[in-house]
Amino acid sequence: MAGALVKINAGVATVYSSGDLSSLAGVSALSAIVVTKNADTPAGDNVVVDLSTGLAGVSAISSITVQNGATAKVGGGLLDAGVATSLTVNGGILDLQGSVIGAKVLNTVTVGPAGGEIKVEPTGLSLGVLSLPVSFVDTNGNTTTTIPKNFVMDFPSSSSIPASYNPLTNTTTIGDGVSLLGILGIGRAITLSGDPFDLTNTGTHNWLAGTYGKNFTQSDGNGGVITCFLSDSMIRTPEGDVAVQDIQVGDSVVAYVDGQQQVRKVVWAGKAHVTVKAGLPDDEAGYPVRILKGALAEGVPYKDMLVTPEHCLLFNGLFTPVRMLVNGASIFYDHSITSYDYYHIETEQHSVIVADGVMTESYLDTGNRGSFRQEGTVVSLNAGSHKTVRTWAEDAAAPLVVDQSVVEPIFRKIEARAKHAGIEAVTPAPVLTNDADVHLVTENGAIIRKAREQNGKVFFLVPPGVERVWLASRTSRPADTIGPFVDDRRQLGVLVSNMSLQEGVGAARNLENTMQDADLQGWHGVDAGHTMRWTAGRAEIPLSGRKPGALAMLSVRIVAAGPYVLEDVQTEQKIASV
């Protein structure tokens, strides 16, 4: 590697191009190194500087700072400097090589208000631990417990990284060198002040150790795990991109109308809080959807984007809910986030705006404004000037489309892009079965298994006196078994075309009223032809008018069933990925 471009002034070496620091070997009385991008940086140079090689002869380095999007690779070569060195990240990337372990030259890593990234490479050793304390400072250089919103920690070559919060020491330890109980072992570990990941609310409490722990599994896109804080969506304005929570009523945003830029005023800004309801399907539970950097196109989004499942993105002039594009790899439900705030802004007209480099939508009040709150005394500029509730059909900036024929090609294109990039799946594919496990349940809870099955009909022997049963089966949503690009989130059991009840000799009694009674529990709506009807997994079947003491044979014609998600297997996979 060639030597980097360096300027030295008053004992401070400013490194502003990619390369190593071989040119500094032998320089004495060098107190600090600053790795940065500046006006002198060659065009197109990302400034990746290798500090892993020796700095022989440099005897007084006390600090290294990486900032302005530059990268500093730090390794055991700092041993040659002969002094303890503190590292500061302030908008740059600090890449700690495995050879740092055992060097004992790092007092701490300080993160400035501009945030940045700390990447901790594998140690490559079977013994020892790289235990690194991290502290944070504000714009005045004072220590703070406020974590910059764009601070990220990356652990390459990992599929799961544990974190543990200890209330007694008020510290969080994260890395593969720590157990969920907070016990240090072999590997990498970073220690943070406080509980920045909100593990007391989102983690599992270990009563014996008194700690709270959880595993992070969010992929960094390169076979590692990245941990970060809920990123703020950056909204494009005439003055540049602004964090959504900083936009107020009266501010301007850039909107796109027929492909042309327009400046529109914000007339309302709201904030809502979500606490995930575990046990429901991901899209209904409230997990946010994470769109990885570059998932949609090169540099789109330009950073990881977090949105709610129903939020719409614009493709080919049409809005599509992001839940219909979840592929489990480059777009996935982030199960590590179980409690969060989200924001929305409204313009006078529903608008196509840009967030994190992605064409998306402003707020459209379809009746849920009451779930948001406004901060302070801010009020809507146009309160009362437009109708209370708007509709997608009449008021949307672009048509909303959920048809599989339109959405699936978009989904497949994004999926193929993720596979080409080698992005590993974060969410496992569902395990499916075609076994509907059809049976009857009586009013007292007794289960009646099928007596036989023939030509699409299932037969059940119903004991005397039973005048009401429920047709039970497995259920699944087409959106889960076929793909999220299918906008059918009903829990479907089996599709029934007709039923009849045979008691003794004579003709069987047709139960056609059941196929048309909209008030019966456990059935979905009657189809247009009144000939078929889906169950919802436990469908009520009245058998009134039974002959006293007679055994009956209930016949159910099932014309469609499955596939179904094996819930127990799916739950085990989900737990393993958290």
Side-chain angles (χ1 to χ4, degrees):
M1 179 177 288
L5 298 176
V6 181
K7 289 183 179 180
I8 301 176
N9 183 27
V12 177
T14 300
V15 186
Y16 56 93
S17 78
S18 297
D20 61 29
L21 297 186
S22 55
S23 61
L24 292 180
V27 177
S28 60
L30 191 63
S31 60
I33 296 176
V34 178
V35 181
T36 186
K37 291 181 182 178
N38 60 25
D40 296 325
T41 299
D45 190 343
N46 291 323
V47 186
V48 179
V49 179
D50 183 9
L51 300 178
S52 60
T53 56
L55 296 175
V58 180
S59 58
I61 297 177
S62 60
S63 68
I64 296 175
T65 300
V66 55
Q67 60 189 32
N68 294 340
T71 298
K73 294 185 175 183
V74 178
L78 286 174
L79 280 170
D80 296 333
V83 294
T85 302
S86 65
L87 300 175
T88 298
V89 180
N90 194 30
I93 300 173
L94 179 63
D95 191 343
L96 297 175
Q97 308 297 296
S99 56
V100 170
I101 190 169
K104 298 181 180 179
V105 295
L106 300 180
N107 292 327
T108 186
V109 171
T110 301
V111 178
E117 177 178 334
I118 298 177
K119 179 181 290 187
V120 190
E121 302 288 354
T123 64
L125 301 178
S126 58
L127 297 174
V129 60
L130 172 59
S131 181
L132 184 67
V134 174
S135 62
F136 301 87
V137 296
D138 59 21
T139 54
N140 297 317
N142 299 319
T143 302
T144 178
T145 56
T146 300
I147 313 297
K149 293 182 174 62
N150 59 341
F151 172 59
V152 171
M153 292 179 292
D154 189 3
F155 295 85
S157 301
S158 296
S159 58
S160 179
I161 289 292
S164 176
Y165 170 65
N166 188 331
L168 293 178
T169 60
N170 192 31
T171 57
T172 296
T173 307
I174 182 168
D176 56 10
V178 61
S179 71
L180 288 176
L181 302 182
I183 301 173
L184 288 178
I186 299 169
R188 305 163 282 182
I190 288 178
T191 303
L192 306 172
S193 297
D195 183 18
F197 298 108
D198 194 25
L199 297 182
T200 51
N201 292 313
T202 65
T204 300
H205 188 201
N206 184 280
W207 295 98
L208 182 62
T211 58
Y212 297 83
K214 72 183 293 184
N215 281 312
F216 286 91
T217 59
Q218 181 194 333
S219 172
D220 64 3
N222 294 296
V225 172
I226 194 169
T227 66
C228 65
F229 305 88
L230 190 57
S231 302
D232 297 329
S233 293
M234 303 299 292
I235 307 299
R236 186 163 299 169
T237 75
E239 291 76 34
D241 286 5
V242 177
V244 65
Q245 78 274 9
D246 294 333
I247 294 179
Q248 300 181 16
V249 170
D251 290 348
S252 296
V253 297
V254 174
Y256 287 82
V257 180
D258 297 327
Q260 301 298 313
Q261 289 190 17
Q262 288 188 8
V263 175
R264 288 184 172 175
K265 292 288 187 182
V266 174
V267 299
W268 176 85
K271 172 183 177 181
H273 185 79
V274 170
T275 299
V276 169
K277 298 177 182 178
L280 294 176
D282 287 346
D283 56 313
E284 299 174 6
Y287 290 108
V289 176
R290 183 177 292 274
I291 306 173
L292 293 185
K293 175 182 177 182
L296 307 180
E298 188 65 31
V300 182
Y302 60 71
K303 68 178 183 65
D304 280 15
M305 184 180 190
L306 284 164
V307 293
T308 52
E310 294 297 334
H311 199 85
C312 290
L313 307 183
L314 189 77
F315 296 93
N316 305 319
L318 302 170
F319 278 128
T320 299
V322 72
R323 63 174 168 81
M324 300 186 73
L325 304 175
V326 171
N327 56 38
S330 62
I331 303 179
F332 58 91
Y333 292 100
D334 193 332
H335 294 130
S336 70
I337 301 174
T338 57
S339 179
Y340 58 94
D341 291 326
Y342 68 99
Y343 302 81
H344 238 320
I345 58 173
E346 183 181 23
T347 53
E348 177 69 30
Q349 296 172 286
H350 189 230
S351 300
V352 175
I353 61 175
V354 176
D356 300 332
V358 178
M359 290 281 193
T360 183
E361 58 162 331
S362 65
Y363 175 69
L364 180 66
D365 183 16
T366 56
N368 68 335
R369 190 188 299 273
S371 63
F372 291 85
R373 69 177 187 273
Q374 288 183 285
E375 300 292 350
T377 58
V378 177
V379 297
S380 175
L381 287 179
N382 66 337
S385 66
H386 59 73
K387 59 186 181 182
T388 303
V389 176
R390 297 182 173 186
T391 67
W392 275 97
E394 296 182 4
D395 304 297
L400 173 67
V401 61
V402 294
D403 294 338
Q404 181 179 351
S405 61
V406 177
V407 179
E408 186 174 3
I410 301 172
F411 174 92
R412 297 299 181 193
K413 184 177 180 180
I414 297 171
E415 180 185 50
R417 178 176 175 82
K419 290 179 179 178
H420 181 74
I423 299 175
E424 297 180 359
V426 175
T427 306
V431 179
L432 305 178
T433 180
N434 287 311
D435 179 12
D437 188 24
V438 178
H439 56 278
L440 299 181
V441 179
T442 67
E443 288 183 289
N444 63 10
I447 294 176
I448 302 175
R449 297 292 178 182
K450 61 184 178 183
R452 60 189 175 92
E453 186 172 354
Q454 183 179 359
N455 298 328
K457 288 186 177 181
V458 182
F459 298 88
F460 301 92
L461 283 173
V462 182
V466 175
E467 296 195 349
R468 188 179 304 274
V469 294
W470 284 262
L471 181 63
S473 69
R474 286 190 170 99
T475 64
S476 279
R477 309 186 310 168
D480 298 326
T481 57
I482 302 173
F485 44 79
V486 177
D487 191 38
D488 189 345
R489 294 184 285 173
R490 295 176 299 166
Q491 289 286 352
L492 299 182
V494 295
L495 182 60
V496 177
S497 64
N498 61 65
M499 296 181 291
S500 63
L501 189 69
Q502 176 76 50
E503 290 182 293
V505 296
R509 175 158 50 108
N510 194 322
L511 303 180
E512 60 182 354
N513 289 339
T514 300
M515 301 301 301
Q516 301 177 15
D517 188 346
D519 295 327
L520 288 178
Q521 296 179 351
W523 294 88
H524 288 290
V526 181
D527 73 352
H530 299 283
T531 59
M532 294 185 291
R533 195 174 185 184
W534 280 100
T535 72
R538 187 181 172 90
E540 179 183 7
I541 304 175
L543 301 176
S544 56
R546 292 283 309 276
K547 295 180 179 180
L551 184 69
M553 178 71 78
L554 175 65
S555 169
V556 180
R557 180 178 289 279
I558 296 176
V559 296
Y564 307 96
V565 176
L566 287 176
E567 292 294 343
D568 292 342
V569 176
Q570 190 73 1
T571 300
E572 290 175 3
Q573 289 181 334
K574 184 177 292 187
I575 291 173
S577 69
V578 172

